[in-house]
Amino acid sequence: MQDDFSQDMVGRPEEACGVFGVRADGLSVAYLTFDGLYALQHRGQEAAGMAVSDGVSVTVVKNMGLVSNVFDDRTLRSLPGYMAIGHTRYSTTGASNWRNAQPAFRSVGEAGFALGHNGNLTNTAELAAEIGMLPGMVSSDSDLIAEMISLRYPKPFNLAQQNLIHVAPTAHGPLIDSLMDVLPKLEGAFSLVVMDTHQLVGVRDPHGFRPLCLGRLGDGYVLASETPALDVIQAEFVREIEPGEMVLIDGTGVRSFRPFPADQVDPKLCVFEFVYFARPDSKLLGKEVHGTRRSMGMHLAKSAPVEADMVMGVPDSGVPAAEGYAKASGIPYGQGLVKNRYIGRTFIAPDQASRVNAVRRKLNVLADNVSGKRLVVVDDSIVRGTTTRGMVRMLRDAGALEIHMRVSSPPYKWPCFYGIDTPSRPELLAAYRTVEEIREYLEVDSLAYLSIEDLREAVGIEDGLCDACLTGNYPVPVQVSLTVESAS
Ligand code: SF4
């Protein structure tokens, strides 16, 4: 996707973090976590961090920047241990600063615990009020979860407080006890990895908005947002953590808990994990993402055919759907744009004009390939539309005769509240415009979107996906009415 969900320098949509966890006796868990985070870098480029346990203490290292900026060989060598969690961050709540980098850490119990969160809570204000935090004291919803867990840790020297929090100690230990108490209070999207000195825990919210999978590494276990993080360390995929499930990994193996009421469990994996967010080599619900994207393009070719000389994708995420469109239509596939892979996230574009310039920095046209041709240009979605329009102008300047835009998802009309950074509703190009009005704005010869039915068919899942940003059907209630009214 080359459009602008957020104020990223080319207006890319921003995934709200990747999480990783590993327990593996005798292996260099810091190095394994580094490799796992590297494979999850696409899920967050603002900050990275890890927490490592050697059985006695938990050490946290985190900083702003890419995984490779935060960790070098010297840092990793200084982190001996047998268990670790890691995190790559993009902020959806909370400012982009060191304090909000994760893992979050709390010094309670024997040696404290660390937590990494992918997602976004929808009841942050209520939860903060419940534990007596004033507005403005909550730096991020992830920090709030850590605070809530720490408050429920048994405090043996403070019997009065222990009575107040009503936590009866169990054989599972304080971390599990606290999680069992806190998790049912959370609403929204949360895939968590949590760790103290001896226990590694993975949690998926009752809707399972964000992915989380379990892998096996020798006698040890791995948790990761996406399967490529298992592949890179040669861990064997075991299964996905189920929506509403908590798994505990300790010296005895893996145990499963159900902290949420059964009637709350209603799987709604984010459909945009298939459309854009997940890596193409990820497997979600047993399907390789790349194949579903090709299928989206094939459906689009059938529903929105056009006479053209070349099909091209907007790199990288539009490419598999473009391949699918070319295959189904018989129109040759070609490359029309080259992406600068090394540009990274260097600054936040302060205004519209600099965003458009940022597109030119990120993408360049293969002029000989597009000049004099009628092009089908496939992208996975259009959010604000400014960067798509900039890209269209670049293709025209290079001599493209016709540009037929094909989008491998339905119009993006509603903001996401479940961990993806999107603009407010009035800023979404499709929120209040017809397809023809959008076509005129983008200055393309024709424009067509994939239908919601074809999207579900391409993914191969009829029910059990969140598509709120496309349909307005929010699985967890949100206050969207304010943004609707403000558009008038
Ligand atoms: S609203 Fe859209 S982006 Fe957000 S979780 Fe649902 S499908 Fe994904």
Side-chain angles (χ1 to χ4, degrees), residues 46-50 61-66 69-71 98 101-102:
E46 277 190 5
M50 72 172 76
V61 176
K62 60 183 182 178
N63 214 334
M64 305 302 292
L66 301 171
N69 300 135
V70 175
F71 297 102
W98 184 88
Q102 296 185 41

Side-chain angles (χ1 to χ4, degrees), residues 209-210 270-272 277 412 415-418 420 466-469:
F209 286 109
R210 301 285 146 228
C270 168
V271 75
F272 263 81
F277 298 126
Y412 200 105
C416 176
F417 294 85
Y418 309 134
I420 303 301
C466 175
D467 53 23
C469 49

Side-chain angles (χ1 to χ4, degrees), residues 245-406:
E245 183 183 13
M246 174 172 86
V247 291
L248 164 63
I249 298 165
D250 61 12
T252 65
V254 181
R255 275 174 285 170
S256 178
F257 296 76
R258 304 282 164 177
F260 307 96
D263 62 355
Q264 280 181 17
V265 177
D266 177 23
K268 293 285 178 201
L269 175 64
C270 168
V271 75
F272 263 81
E273 294 282 353
F274 288 99
V275 173
Y276 168 73
F277 298 126
R279 283 173 52 141
D281 50 341
S282 274
K283 286 204 177 68
L284 295 170
L285 298 173
K287 294 162 202 302
E288 191 166 79
V289 168
H290 181 268
T292 66
R293 289 181 186 160
R294 270 179 70 95
S295 179
M296 290 169 207
M298 293 173 81
H299 278 85
L300 200 48
K302 285 179 192 139
S303 62
V306 65
E307 275 192 27
D309 305 308
M310 184 176 104
V311 180
M312 55 171 277
V314 180
D316 292 324
S317 47
V319 170
E323 288 171 0
Y325 193 104
K327 185 167 193 288
S329 66
I331 302 169
Y333 174 82
Q335 224 183 326
L337 291 162
V338 173
K339 181 179 167 189
N340 181 352
R341 291 172 200 286
Y342 306 102
I343 199 155
R345 182 185 173 83
T346 51
F347 65 92
I348 290 175
D351 55 39
Q352 199 87 334
S354 53
R355 267 189 221 129
V356 174
N357 290 338
V359 183
R360 290 189 181 268
R361 237 171 269 136
K362 185 89 173 187
L363 293 173
N364 209 359
V365 178
L366 288 167
D368 287 354
N369 266 10
V370 304
S371 179
K373 287 192 180 137
R374 299 168 298 168
L375 302 174
V376 177
V377 180
V378 183
D379 205 351
D380 52 67
S381 57
I382 299 174
V383 183
R384 280 196 182 91
T386 45
T387 50
T388 304
R389 191 160 76 157
M391 182 263 298
V392 167
R393 285 182 180 168
M394 285 165 61
L395 291 169
R396 290 240 191 257
D397 290 348
L401 285 185
E402 293 175 16
I403 298 176
H404 301 278
M405 193 81 208
R406 296 293 179 267

Side-chain angles (χ1 to χ4, degrees), residues 449-483:
Y449 289 87
L450 190 67
S451 69
I452 190 77
E453 293 78 20
D454 280 351
L455 175 59
R456 288 179 188 140
E457 211 173 297
V459 172
I461 298 161
E462 185 55 34
D463 203 15
L465 292 172
C466 175
D467 53 23
C469 49
L470 312 172
T471 61
N473 299 325
Y474 288 94
V476 175
V478 291
Q479 285 190 320
V480 78
S481 56
L482 292 175
T483 53

Side-chain angles (χ1 to χ4, degrees), residues 5-334:
F5 271 67
S6 70
Q7 292 196 337
D8 172 65
M9 64 174 298
V10 291
R12 290 178 70 85
E14 297 296 345
E15 175 61 87
C17 312
V19 294
F20 183 85
V22 57
R23 182 188 164 116
D25 288 315
L27 297 180
S28 305
V29 289
Y31 284 87
L32 294 173
T33 304
F34 174 84
D35 283 330
L37 292 182
Y38 215 82
L40 299 173
Q41 185 74 84
H42 62 291
R43 297 184 76 87
Q45 293 105 49
E46 277 190 5
M50 72 172 76
V52 180
S53 166
D54 59 5
V56 177
S57 60
V58 174
T59 307
V60 179
V61 176
K62 60 183 182 178
N63 214 334
M64 305 302 292
L66 301 171
V67 177
S68 55
N69 300 135
V70 175
F71 297 102
D72 58 16
D73 192 48
R74 209 174 68 163
T75 318
L76 295 171
R77 256 189 288 129
S78 71
L79 291 169
Y82 75 113
M83 195 165 69
I85 62 169
H87 190 266
T88 59
R89 178 168 203 263
Y90 182 80
S91 58
T92 49
T93 66
S96 174
N97 58 34
W98 184 88
R99 191 177 161 211
N100 287 336
Q102 296 185 41
F105 177 76
R106 288 295 184 281
S107 180
V108 288
E110 276 181 24
F113 69 88
L115 173 145
H117 172 210
N118 172 202
N120 196 49
L121 299 186
T122 53
N123 63 337
T124 308
E126 294 92 315
L127 293 172
E130 196 181 304
I131 61 169
M133 292 177 86
L134 299 170
M137 285 174 67
V138 181
S139 61
S140 72
D141 53 359
S142 315
D143 201 54
L144 177 67
I145 300 171
E147 186 65 17
M148 290 177 70
I149 295 169
S150 72
L151 286 174
R152 280 156 180 80
Y153 252 65
K155 295 177 178 60
F157 302 112
N158 185 348
L159 292 177
Q161 187 160 3
Q162 196 174 12
N163 287 340
L164 266 180
I165 56 179
H166 302 298
V167 174
T170 74
H172 299 306
L175 181 62
I176 297 300
D177 290 348
S178 302
L179 282 164
M180 291 296 282
D181 188 46
V182 167
L183 291 173
K185 301 180 198 301
L186 309 182
E187 291 175 13
F190 45 98
S191 281
L192 305 173
V193 288
V194 195
M195 184 193 81
D196 64 9
T197 47
H198 299 295
Q199 295 177 317
L200 172 62
V201 181
V203 181
R204 236 174 132 196
D205 67 70
H207 295 288
F209 286 109
R210 301 285 146 228
L212 187 66
C213 63
L214 176 72
R216 182 100 205 214
L217 184 64
D219 293 332
Y221 287 94
V222 184
L223 295 165
S225 293
E226 294 184 38
T227 56
L230 304 182
D231 301 338
V232 72
I233 60 167
Q234 296 182 31
E236 184 192 333
F237 174 79
V238 175
R239 64 178 178 87
E240 294 187 1
I241 307 303
E242 290 174 22
E245 183 183 13
M246 174 172 86
V247 291
L248 164 63
I249 298 165
D250 61 12
T252 65
V254 181
R255 275 174 285 170
S256 178
F257 296 76
R258 304 282 164 177
F260 307 96
D263 62 355
Q264 280 181 17
V265 177
D266 177 23
K268 293 285 178 201
L269 175 64
C270 168
V271 75
F272 263 81
E273 294 282 353
F274 288 99
V275 173
Y276 168 73
F277 298 126
R279 283 173 52 141
D281 50 341
S282 274
K283 286 204 177 68
L284 295 170
L285 298 173
K287 294 162 202 302
E288 191 166 79
V289 168
H290 181 268
T292 66
R293 289 181 186 160
R294 270 179 70 95
S295 179
M296 290 169 207
M298 293 173 81
H299 278 85
L300 200 48
K302 285 179 192 139
S303 62
V306 65
E307 275 192 27
D309 305 308
M310 184 176 104
V311 180
M312 55 171 277
V314 180
D316 292 324
S317 47
V319 170
E323 288 171 0
Y325 193 104
K327 185 167 193 288
S329 66
I331 302 169
Y333 174 82

